[in-house]
Each structure stands twice: as structure tokens, then as C-alpha cells.
Amino acid sequence: MIHITRRERFNAAHRLFREDFSDQQNLEVFGKCSNPKWHGHNYELFVTVKGDIDEKTGFLVNLKKLSKIIRDHVIEKLDHKNINLEVEFMQDKLASTENLAVGIWNELEPHIKGLDAELHCVKVVESENNFVEYYGDRNE
Amino acid sequence: MIHITRRERFNAAHRLFREDFSDQQNLEVFGKCSNPKWHGHNYELFVTVKGDIDEKTGFLVNLKKLSKIIRDHVIEKLDHKNINLEVEFMQDKLASTENLAVGIWNELEPHIKGLDAELHCVKVVESENNFVEYYGDRNE
Amino acid sequence: MIHITRRERFNAAHRLFREDFSDQQNLEVFGKCSNPKWHGHNYELFVTVKGDIDEKTGFLVNLKKLSKIIRDHVIEKLDHKNINLEVEFMQDKLASTENLAVGIWNELEPHIKGLDAELHCVKVVESENNFVEYYGDRNE
Amino acid sequence: MIHITRRERFNAAHRLFREDFSDQQNLEVFGKCSNPKWHGHNYELFVTVKGDIDEKTGFLVNLKKLSKIIRDHVIEKLDHKNINLEVEFMQDKLASTENLAVGIWNELEPHIKGLDAELHCVKVVESENNFVEYYGDRNE
Amino acid sequence: MIHITRRERFNAAHRLFREDFSDQQNLEVFGKCSNPKWHGHNYELFVTVKGDIDEKTGFLVNLKKLSKIIRDHVIEKLDHKNINLEVEFMQDKLASTENLAVGIWNELEPHIKGLDAELHCVKVVESENNFVEYYGDRNE
Amino acid sequence: MIHITRRERFNAAHRLFREDFSDQQNLEVFGKCSNPKWHGHNYELFVTVKGDIDEKTGFLVNLKKLSKIIRDHVIEKLDHKNINLEVEFMQDKLASTENLAVGIWNELEPHIKGLDAELHCVKVVESENNFVEYYGDRNE
């Protein structure tokens, strides 16, 4: 069993708020992140998969294929987008880093299975001071 | 003569576009950065000032004062904001990193003079792959 | 179950030595780190907590609260201090990164409980080449 | 139980290919990494060991000793070398990051035991976008 | 006048040696870098251009065009290559970082002119501890 | 003319204060940095030299020699030391980053001349947010 991690990046706008809150309530709970006119981040995404090394290639997975899966199913949907308004898998959810990590996991997992590997961790870095890791429902 | 640099950070949303262009024209010129629903970045700002060391303190400038000037006059206006819609000194300008660097220089310069130092460079890092440096009108 | 990590930083002086050793013995065991006149580091502290996402906020914990807890109970005590002489929770202990990580865990844990989350890991980075991780007594 | 990690670095040339493949087949499977005239990397190696803190020293392990073990048994063999042609423990294996991590684990493990600690993880970073972690046979 | 910098990366093998030296002489002058079986690096390339902001776009240069020029004329020739054996513009030269920076400058300069900007600096980072900057013949 | 930069690192304790000030006055001017029991940093030092490429070696300077000069004449004196109490070239000076950069320049300059190169810049990084650059008396 070995783990391999691929980093990809995306830049996006978002806002933390609840429609059933007033602007004042949103400010109290979400602080500056509730700004109604949006703000944004350079997000870093680290996707870790695990499994056995394929003796024929020396690879756990072909990183080009893993990178393509992440770009096709996640980066394409998030990069240079507004997470609240334009990202289908984030509709009806607060656009927090926590929900983003879970949402990305759900987008990726079906496609990782085709690689003879298992999705192990989705890590989303929002800033140099904050990041979230999600290991799926069954782990931990 | 010595140079000292202070780093500060801000997260903001923006969009590159011209009102006199169609969405299609904006896409051709500005690519994904023209997304009408915004995107955003974690910006890093490096402000370099130059001058002589004050023998009484060993400092060129007191970094706490320099940091406060940058935060009061620049970060406060940009952090968790929409550069196109909410930043007064960027109105009537394209929200490019180049224009941002010049705009930040103009905001900062009058306040640096009070420090017995001279503004030398404003560097704005938009991503790990791109940054802009502005040395003012008179340099170079 | 999700994990979120907050980074904070502190600068401190310390010295590795045993009072019951001679300077020579301390040098043999602790090397340059035993310098009787101290040396110091820029430490980075990564605090990871785990738990469930609160559906009302999309947060595992409010990062402002987590950051305030870390600053009030750890950074305030360590930043710009001498770890051997001035940090109460490090008295009677060698000022190693290992003991620092355990000490920080013990300072933080009672306060994390108030957040509806569980302390998962305290990581202390002493230099770009060395870091320590502590997962508490019960983990592992 | 605590974990401590030491980073070391090495620069090496390598090539991903199978002798029983044509150049064309190698290109299809391994891409540019199959270039017959080699390419190379600045590799970063993170070695994590775990165990109990020695009350006499405050250390899990003496990092100078850990660093010397890594340099003597791994870095010396890899640094400024051709992994395919010159590294004994990588003969008869594809020179992938995955195989490198397993090979390094096998070189290190017998020597870590002398430190009253247990090898926990070997992490090999090939680029800012890719890294592999190996926790040994028995972990996970 | 403003400066903008674009980072690109390439991985390559090389060797520092003179054909008219024995292996022993090469070892004395070039150290481990003379290994006859090659070694390699993850190189980072920072290309800085300068000029005036185009009022129509807010850009000094379109970074997509600058990136494409760098990739077409430099990265394509260096990435996953052997600098000594496969890079035309490095033939008859020692494969040092200094010569690489000058060689890259000469490859790039004719193409930057088409951008209404001037090449200002080519910076080549060979490792976290070493980098070279070249400002062309006429600067300084 | 080309520039090459070598990075070295040192960890040291220091304190910013004037003997002719009370503790209270020192606190007002120097803030937490005046702590009488010291604090410390992981300093990074970047030394840039300039000159012409030696056609015989492809080098501006032999980096091993440059590194040895920096370690013998600067790092040896600063690493794991108390800058105020133990560093001869910093006596009678405030232990600020500015004075440190000038002091390091003066230590290095006579030894660089032996390399057929000219010292161009001494950059001292005190934290991820602050650094000082000194170009000598005659530059600028």
C-alpha cells in the first residue's frame, strides 16, 4: 500500500452567508467573508490516492490520468468561477472550505475507481494559514 | 542607503473586462479572467522603502508603523473586497495586477514620506506564477 | 468527520541543556543548541481539530475562534519569549520541540472542547528541515 | 507517542522505461519521462519516525543521528547520481517515485531501530505538484 | 514603466565537465556535478519584462502570450531533456546555470520585442540555495 | 555581467534595546523585541555577487567557494549565537536586521574580492514578512 498526491490549483470567488440572515447577522457569524460583493482566493487542492504499485509501470496510478481526472471533474468547474453562483455541486450549500472539500471528494470518487486506486484524502488550502482535509465517510 | 520590505496579504474578487466590449470580446482579450460573475485571488503585497539607518534605533523605519500604514491605507480598502466594485482608487481602471500596483503606490507614497524614508517598490503577487513590480514614475 | 488546520507563528529563544550536566556534557549531547547564551527560532504551529460540519454555518469550527484560542493560550505565552525562563508550562522540562508540542497540546485541549470539536494534532515546525507532530495520549 | 520528521534533499537523474518496450511504447506509457537521454529532479525526502520522548534529553531521537543515518544510507547513494544506472537498491526496478519511496524505506529501516524509534513514513517529493508517501508493509 | 514576471518550470539532466579534462580533473573543479552518468534538477525560470501599461487592456503584456513564448522557445527545448546532449542553444558551452541564463535570454529576446515590451531579467533557480540572474548585455 | 546568489541560514537570539533607556522606554520604541530575556529567529541570508562568466568553468564563481566564505566568515559567527552578546562585529550596535545586513556586508566584502567577483547585495530575511537588502555604500 502506497499513497500518491497530486496538487492542482484554482482561483475562485465566493461569499459565506445565509439567505435567511440579514446582512448584519451574516457579518456577525461570517465576518468579512460575508461581503455581499464577493471576495476570492487562490485555492490549492491536494488529492491523495492509495493502493498497490503496478509492477509493470512502477506506478500506483499514472499521474497524467489522475491530473486529467481532477482537472476535468473539479478544476474545470471551479477555476475562475463564483463558487456560490456557478458551481453546480456547491448549490444549496454554504461555500465554506469544509463543504468544498466534501463536494470535491464526491465529484472525484467515482472517477478514481477506474484507476485501480482508492481516494484517500482531499485537502483544500484556502490560505497559507488555513486548510481542510476530508478522508471520506468510511475512513477515520 | 538600505532597503527594507514588509509583506502584507489581502484576498479579493475581481474581473478583467471593458464595458464597451461584448462578453465575447472580453473573453477573447481577457480569457477566463473576464468571467462576469467574478473570480478572486490571495494577493501578496511587498512594499519596499529605502533610506538611511537611524542610529538611535538601528531601524530604517519602524516596521510596526510601516505595517500600520500599509494596512490602514491599502489592505483595509482591498481585503475581502471586490476590486472592481468597491475599491475607490481602482474605479475607472481595469482591475489588472499592473494597475493595482500603480494604484497601491499612489495610495502609499504620501504616507511613507512621514517615515523619513522613500517608497522604492510595490510588488503585487497574484499567483505563484505571476507578479508585478512598480518603482514609481521617477525610478528606472 | 472532517479536519481543519490553523497555522500561527511565534519567535522565541531557547536552550537545550541539563542543569546536572557540565557545559562540556551539554555540548556533547545537545550540540550547538546548548549554547549558554541562547539562540532562537521562528516557530510555526499547525493546530488540527476534527469533528462534524455544522450545517448552519458550513464550518467545523469558526476559525476566528480557533485562532483566538491558540493566540490567547499559546502564542501569547511563547511569542518573543525565552522558552526556558519565561514559559510557565515548559518549566521543569527540556525545551525541545518534542516537549513543546506536548506542552502546547495540554494548553490547548481544554479550550478546544468548547468548540464542539476534538483536538487532533499539534505540529511544531522548528526549521525548514525539522518538525514534530503530537496526536495526544489516546490517538495512535 | 510522538512523531518527528527530518527533511534531506538530493538531486538525481532518472528515466522511466521498460527494456522490453520500444521507445515508442515507452513514450506512450511514460510520456516525456521516458526520454532515453535522461532528465532529473531536485528531490525532497521527509523521514518520519515515532516513539516515546526520552526524559533525559527531551528528544524522541537525536536529530543529528537521524540526519546522519539518512545521509549515510540514502542521500550518499542518490545525490548527484543516475537512479537507473548507479543506485544499487533501485536495480531491476522502474525508477518511479513510488519505487524510490519503498527502496528508501528498506534502506533506512534497519538503521532506525538502533535509535529506539520506529520508522513511520518515507515521503518523496518529486516536484511541487507530486509526492509519494510510504508507511511500510505493516502500517495502514 | 512597470515590470511583470512570469514563472515557468522545467526538469532536466545535466553534467558539468570539460572534454579536455580527465574525470579526476573534472571532479576537482566541478565536484559531484561532474558525475559522468548525469544528475538533474527541477529548474524554475522567472522571466521579467518591462514597459508601459496598455490603457486598453490594463496589461503591460498579455501573460498568456508571454507564457506561450517562454514555453515554445525555452521550456519545450529544455523540459525532460539532457542539457548537454539535447539542447541546441547550449552546445559548445558548459551546462552551468550562468550559461543557461544567458542562453535562455538569447532565445527569448527576439520574441519579446513582438510584445511591445523589453526583456529585463532572466532568473534561473537551480535549487532552493542557488540562483542566477542575467539582465542582458546593455543593462547594469 | 551576471549575478549569482547563494542562500545560507542561521538561528540566533537577539534583543532590541538601548542601555540608556529604561525597560519601559525600550518597550515603547522596540515593542516585544525588547524582551530582556531575549527571543530569536531562523534567519535566511542571500548573498549576491556579480561579475563575468569564466569561460573555462562556465561559472561566475565556484559556489562551493562562495558558500565556504559565507559559512566561515558569517554563519560560523552567528549560528546558534546571541547576536547582542556573542557576535563581535555587532558589538556597540543595535541588533536590528538593518545593522545585521550592513555588518554581514563588511565581514564578507574583503573575501569576495579573492573570487574575481564583486559583492552586489546582502539580503537578510528575519521572518516571512520582513527582510532587509543592503547594496553597499557605493551602489544605488
Side-chain angles (χ1 to χ4, degrees), chain E residues 44-65:
Chain E
E44 284 183 292
L45 170 61
F46 293 83
V47 175
T48 304
V49 302
K50 63 186 175 190
D52 294 318
I53 300 177
D54 177 344
E55 285 194 15
K56 263 182 275 180
T57 59
F59 291 158
L60 164 53
V61 298
N62 187 315
L63 274 181
K64 283 216 186 78
K65 285 186 192 163

PDB file of all heavy atoms in Angstrom, chain E residues 44-65:
ATOM      1  N   GLU E  44      13.486  26.344 -11.905  1.00  0.00           N
ATOM      2  CA  GLU E  44      12.450  27.369 -12.019  1.00  0.00           C
ATOM      3  C   GLU E  44      13.008  28.514 -12.850  1.00  0.00           C
ATOM      4  O   GLU E  44      14.136  28.951 -12.624  1.00  0.00           O
ATOM      5  CB  GLU E  44      12.061  27.924 -10.661  1.00  0.00           C
ATOM      6  CG  GLU E  44      11.178  27.033  -9.844  1.00  0.00           C
ATOM      7  CD  GLU E  44      10.803  27.737  -8.548  1.00  0.00           C
ATOM      8  OE1 GLU E  44      11.710  27.933  -7.718  1.00  0.00           O
ATOM      9  OE2 GLU E  44       9.631  28.083  -8.370  1.00  0.00           O
ATOM     10  N   LEU E  45      12.205  29.022 -13.776  1.00  0.00           N
ATOM     11  CA  LEU E  45      12.608  30.124 -14.644  1.00  0.00           C
ATOM     12  C   LEU E  45      11.660  31.300 -14.417  1.00  0.00           C
ATOM     13  O   LEU E  45      10.448  31.150 -14.525  1.00  0.00           O
ATOM     14  CB  LEU E  45      12.527  29.659 -16.108  1.00  0.00           C
ATOM     15  CG  LEU E  45      12.686  30.722 -17.186  1.00  0.00           C
ATOM     16  CD1 LEU E  45      14.046  31.398 -17.109  1.00  0.00           C
ATOM     17  CD2 LEU E  45      12.483  30.089 -18.565  1.00  0.00           C
ATOM     18  N   PHE E  46      12.226  32.453 -14.054  1.00  0.00           N
ATOM     19  CA  PHE E  46      11.435  33.682 -13.889  1.00  0.00           C
ATOM     20  C   PHE E  46      11.861  34.659 -14.988  1.00  0.00           C
ATOM     21  O   PHE E  46      13.028  35.064 -15.029  1.00  0.00           O
ATOM     22  CB  PHE E  46      11.703  34.330 -12.529  1.00  0.00           C
ATOM     23  CG  PHE E  46      11.208  33.527 -11.350  1.00  0.00           C
ATOM     24  CD1 PHE E  46      11.967  32.493 -10.828  1.00  0.00           C
ATOM     25  CD2 PHE E  46       9.989  33.806 -10.751  1.00  0.00           C
ATOM     26  CE1 PHE E  46      11.524  31.757  -9.734  1.00  0.00           C
ATOM     27  CE2 PHE E  46       9.535  33.068  -9.667  1.00  0.00           C
ATOM     28  CZ  PHE E  46      10.306  32.046  -9.161  1.00  0.00           C
ATOM     29  N   VAL E  47      10.922  35.022 -15.847  1.00  0.00           N
ATOM     30  CA  VAL E  47      11.200  35.953 -16.937  1.00  0.00           C
ATOM     31  C   VAL E  47      10.502  37.274 -16.628  1.00  0.00           C
ATOM     32  O   VAL E  47       9.279  37.318 -16.485  1.00  0.00           O
ATOM     33  CB  VAL E  47      10.705  35.384 -18.281  1.00  0.00           C
ATOM     34  CG1 VAL E  47      10.891  36.412 -19.392  1.00  0.00           C
ATOM     35  CG2 VAL E  47      11.443  34.092 -18.619  1.00  0.00           C
ATOM     36  N   THR E  48      11.295  38.356 -16.534  1.00  0.00           N
ATOM     37  CA  THR E  48      10.742  39.685 -16.248  1.00  0.00           C
ATOM     38  C   THR E  48      10.852  40.563 -17.480  1.00  0.00           C
ATOM     39  O   THR E  48      11.923  40.674 -18.069  1.00  0.00           O
ATOM     40  CB  THR E  48      11.519  40.343 -15.085  1.00  0.00           C
ATOM     41  OG1 THR E  48      11.470  39.482 -13.959  1.00  0.00           O
ATOM     42  CG2 THR E  48      10.916  41.696 -14.712  1.00  0.00           C
ATOM     43  N   VAL E  49       9.720  41.166 -17.852  1.00  0.00           N
ATOM     44  CA  VAL E  49       9.724  42.131 -18.953  1.00  0.00           C
ATOM     45  C   VAL E  49       9.265  43.476 -18.404  1.00  0.00           C
ATOM     46  O   VAL E  49       8.619  43.556 -17.366  1.00  0.00           O
ATOM     47  CB  VAL E  49       8.830  41.680 -20.136  1.00  0.00           C
ATOM     48  CG1 VAL E  49       9.284  40.334 -20.674  1.00  0.00           C
ATOM     49  CG2 VAL E  49       7.372  41.640 -19.740  1.00  0.00           C
ATOM     50  N   LYS E  50       9.640  44.530 -19.113  1.00  0.00           N
ATOM     51  CA  LYS E  50       9.268  45.872 -18.645  1.00  0.00           C
ATOM     52  C   LYS E  50       8.731  46.710 -19.797  1.00  0.00           C
ATOM     53  O   LYS E  50       9.014  46.426 -20.971  1.00  0.00           O
ATOM     54  CB  LYS E  50      10.460  46.559 -17.976  1.00  0.00           C
ATOM     55  CG  LYS E  50      11.645  46.822 -18.859  1.00  0.00           C
ATOM     56  CD  LYS E  50      12.813  47.376 -18.037  1.00  0.00           C
ATOM     57  CE  LYS E  50      14.051  47.535 -18.904  1.00  0.00           C
ATOM     58  NZ  LYS E  50      15.246  47.841 -18.108  1.00  0.00           N
ATOM     59  N   GLY E  51       7.977  47.746 -19.449  1.00  0.00           N
ATOM     60  CA  GLY E  51       7.402  48.629 -20.456  1.00  0.00           C
ATOM     61  C   GLY E  51       6.258  49.404 -19.841  1.00  0.00           C
ATOM     62  O   GLY E  51       6.143  49.492 -18.621  1.00  0.00           O
ATOM     63  N   ASP E  52       5.419  49.942 -20.711  1.00  0.00           N
ATOM     64  CA  ASP E  52       4.311  50.769 -20.230  1.00  0.00           C
ATOM     65  C   ASP E  52       3.006  49.973 -20.264  1.00  0.00           C
ATOM     66  O   ASP E  52       2.830  49.080 -21.097  1.00  0.00           O
ATOM     67  CB  ASP E  52       4.197  52.023 -21.108  1.00  0.00           C
ATOM     68  CG  ASP E  52       5.411  52.921 -20.941  1.00  0.00           C
ATOM     69  OD1 ASP E  52       5.858  53.104 -19.795  1.00  0.00           O
ATOM     70  OD2 ASP E  52       5.923  53.415 -21.974  1.00  0.00           O
ATOM     71  N   ILE E  53       2.102  50.351 -19.380  1.00  0.00           N
ATOM     72  CA  ILE E  53       0.791  49.704 -19.341  1.00  0.00           C
ATOM     73  C   ILE E  53      -0.026  50.151 -20.550  1.00  0.00           C
ATOM     74  O   ILE E  53      -0.115  51.340 -20.848  1.00  0.00           O
ATOM     75  CB  ILE E  53       0.053  50.071 -18.033  1.00  0.00           C
ATOM     76  CG1 ILE E  53       0.872  49.603 -16.809  1.00  0.00           C
ATOM     77  CG2 ILE E  53      -1.337  49.459 -18.013  1.00  0.00           C
ATOM     78  CD1 ILE E  53       0.259  49.993 -15.465  1.00  0.00           C
ATOM     79  N   ASP E  54      -0.621  49.188 -21.239  1.00  0.00           N
ATOM     80  CA  ASP E  54      -1.512  49.471 -22.363  1.00  0.00           C
ATOM     81  C   ASP E  54      -2.870  49.878 -21.783  1.00  0.00           C
ATOM     82  O   ASP E  54      -3.531  49.077 -21.119  1.00  0.00           O
ATOM     83  CB  ASP E  54      -1.635  48.192 -23.206  1.00  0.00           C
ATOM     84  CG  ASP E  54      -2.595  48.348 -24.378  1.00  0.00           C
ATOM     85  OD1 ASP E  54      -3.395  49.311 -24.376  1.00  0.00           O
ATOM     86  OD2 ASP E  54      -2.556  47.501 -25.277  1.00  0.00           O
ATOM     87  N   GLU E  55      -3.285  51.116 -22.024  1.00  0.00           N
ATOM     88  CA  GLU E  55      -4.516  51.588 -21.372  1.00  0.00           C
ATOM     89  C   GLU E  55      -5.744  50.800 -21.791  1.00  0.00           C
ATOM     90  O   GLU E  55      -6.720  50.710 -21.051  1.00  0.00           O
ATOM     91  CB  GLU E  55      -4.722  53.081 -21.659  1.00  0.00           C
ATOM     92  CG  GLU E  55      -3.776  53.942 -20.840  1.00  0.00           C
ATOM     93  CD  GLU E  55      -4.184  55.411 -20.848  1.00  0.00           C
ATOM     94  OE1 GLU E  55      -5.337  55.714 -21.237  1.00  0.00           O
ATOM     95  OE2 GLU E  55      -3.342  56.246 -20.468  1.00  0.00           O
ATOM     96  N   LYS E  56      -5.695  50.213 -22.981  1.00  0.00           N
ATOM     97  CA  LYS E  56      -6.876  49.489 -23.455  1.00  0.00           C
ATOM     98  C   LYS E  56      -7.125  48.194 -22.691  1.00  0.00           C
ATOM     99  O   LYS E  56      -8.255  47.752 -22.547  1.00  0.00           O
ATOM    100  CB  LYS E  56      -6.717  49.173 -24.955  1.00  0.00           C
ATOM    101  CG  LYS E  56      -7.438  50.194 -25.837  1.00  0.00           C
ATOM    102  CD  LYS E  56      -7.323  49.842 -27.298  1.00  0.00           C
ATOM    103  CE  LYS E  56      -6.003  50.401 -27.836  1.00  0.00           C
ATOM    104  NZ  LYS E  56      -5.757  50.129 -29.249  1.00  0.00           N
ATOM    105  N   THR E  57      -6.031  47.571 -22.220  1.00  0.00           N
ATOM    106  CA  THR E  57      -6.179  46.270 -21.562  1.00  0.00           C
ATOM    107  C   THR E  57      -5.782  46.297 -20.086  1.00  0.00           C
ATOM    108  O   THR E  57      -6.092  45.368 -19.352  1.00  0.00           O
ATOM    109  CB  THR E  57      -5.270  45.229 -22.249  1.00  0.00           C
ATOM    110  OG1 THR E  57      -3.908  45.712 -22.139  1.00  0.00           O
ATOM    111  CG2 THR E  57      -5.625  45.056 -23.712  1.00  0.00           C
ATOM    112  N   GLY E  58      -5.086  47.343 -19.683  1.00  0.00           N
ATOM    113  CA  GLY E  58      -4.569  47.364 -18.310  1.00  0.00           C
ATOM    114  C   GLY E  58      -3.337  46.492 -18.153  1.00  0.00           C
ATOM    115  O   GLY E  58      -2.800  46.354 -17.059  1.00  0.00           O
ATOM    116  N   PHE E  59      -2.897  45.873 -19.265  1.00  0.00           N
ATOM    117  CA  PHE E  59      -1.756  44.952 -19.240  1.00  0.00           C
ATOM    118  C   PHE E  59      -0.480  45.643 -19.724  1.00  0.00           C
ATOM    119  O   PHE E  59      -0.530  46.482 -20.629  1.00  0.00           O
ATOM    120  CB  PHE E  59      -1.985  43.770 -20.187  1.00  0.00           C
ATOM    121  CG  PHE E  59      -3.051  42.807 -19.760  1.00  0.00           C
ATOM    122  CD1 PHE E  59      -3.666  41.987 -20.722  1.00  0.00           C
ATOM    123  CD2 PHE E  59      -3.430  42.656 -18.438  1.00  0.00           C
ATOM    124  CE1 PHE E  59      -4.640  41.067 -20.364  1.00  0.00           C
ATOM    125  CE2 PHE E  59      -4.410  41.732 -18.068  1.00  0.00           C
ATOM    126  CZ  PHE E  59      -5.014  40.936 -19.038  1.00  0.00           C
ATOM    127  N   LEU E  60       0.648  45.249 -19.184  1.00  0.00           N
ATOM    128  CA  LEU E  60       1.925  45.519 -19.822  1.00  0.00           C
ATOM    129  C   LEU E  60       2.046  44.580 -21.015  1.00  0.00           C
ATOM    130  O   LEU E  60       2.296  45.000 -22.147  1.00  0.00           O
ATOM    131  CB  LEU E  60       3.059  45.302 -18.807  1.00  0.00           C
ATOM    132  CG  LEU E  60       4.470  45.162 -19.336  1.00  0.00           C
ATOM    133  CD1 LEU E  60       4.842  46.316 -20.239  1.00  0.00           C
ATOM    134  CD2 LEU E  60       5.450  45.066 -18.182  1.00  0.00           C
ATOM    135  N   VAL E  61       1.894  43.297 -20.763  1.00  0.00           N
ATOM    136  CA  VAL E  61       1.799  42.305 -21.844  1.00  0.00           C
ATOM    137  C   VAL E  61       0.706  41.328 -21.453  1.00  0.00           C
ATOM    138  O   VAL E  61       0.402  41.166 -20.279  1.00  0.00           O
ATOM    139  CB  VAL E  61       3.120  41.509 -22.035  1.00  0.00           C
ATOM    140  CG1 VAL E  61       4.263  42.431 -22.420  1.00  0.00           C
ATOM    141  CG2 VAL E  61       3.480  40.716 -20.785  1.00  0.00           C
ATOM    142  N   ASN E  62       0.151  40.672 -22.434  1.00  0.00           N
ATOM    143  CA  ASN E  62      -0.789  39.593 -22.161  1.00  0.00           C
ATOM    144  C   ASN E  62       0.017  38.402 -21.650  1.00  0.00           C
ATOM    145  O   ASN E  62       0.852  37.846 -22.357  1.00  0.00           O
ATOM    146  CB  ASN E  62      -1.535  39.246 -23.451  1.00  0.00           C
ATOM    147  CG  ASN E  62      -2.640  38.244 -23.193  1.00  0.00           C
ATOM    148  OD1 ASN E  62      -2.437  37.268 -22.482  1.00  0.00           O
ATOM    149  ND2 ASN E  62      -3.805  38.498 -23.764  1.00  0.00           N
ATOM    150  N   LEU E  63      -0.239  38.001 -20.389  1.00  0.00           N
ATOM    151  CA  LEU E  63       0.580  36.951 -19.786  1.00  0.00           C
ATOM    152  C   LEU E  63       0.422  35.611 -20.485  1.00  0.00           C
ATOM    153  O   LEU E  63       1.334  34.790 -20.460  1.00  0.00           O
ATOM    154  CB  LEU E  63       0.241  36.781 -18.298  1.00  0.00           C
ATOM    155  CG  LEU E  63       0.987  37.723 -17.361  1.00  0.00           C
ATOM    156  CD1 LEU E  63       0.576  37.442 -15.925  1.00  0.00           C
ATOM    157  CD2 LEU E  63       2.498  37.550 -17.498  1.00  0.00           C
ATOM    158  N   LYS E  64      -0.709  35.387 -21.097  1.00  0.00           N
ATOM    159  CA  LYS E  64      -0.863  34.124 -21.848  1.00  0.00           C
ATOM    160  C   LYS E  64       0.103  34.105 -23.020  1.00  0.00           C
ATOM    161  O   LYS E  64       0.707  33.080 -23.316  1.00  0.00           O
ATOM    162  CB  LYS E  64      -2.303  33.976 -22.355  1.00  0.00           C
ATOM    163  CG  LYS E  64      -3.246  33.556 -21.260  1.00  0.00           C
ATOM    164  CD  LYS E  64      -4.331  32.610 -21.769  1.00  0.00           C
ATOM    165  CE  LYS E  64      -5.307  32.373 -20.633  1.00  0.00           C
ATOM    166  NZ  LYS E  64      -6.236  33.534 -20.473  1.00  0.00           N
ATOM    167  N   LYS E  65       0.243  35.260 -23.685  1.00  0.00           N
ATOM    168  CA  LYS E  65       1.193  35.317 -24.804  1.00  0.00           C
ATOM    169  C   LYS E  65       2.633  35.175 -24.297  1.00  0.00           C
ATOM    170  O   LYS E  65       3.445  34.484 -24.903  1.00  0.00           O
ATOM    171  CB  LYS E  65       1.040  36.647 -25.557  1.00  0.00           C
ATOM    172  CG  LYS E  65      -0.210  36.700 -26.428  1.00  0.00           C
ATOM    173  CD  LYS E  65      -0.235  37.987 -27.271  1.00  0.00           C
ATOM    174  CE  LYS E  65      -1.618  38.170 -27.912  1.00  0.00           C
ATOM    175  NZ  LYS E  65      -1.801  39.555 -28.374  1.00  0.00           N
TER     176      LYS E  65
END
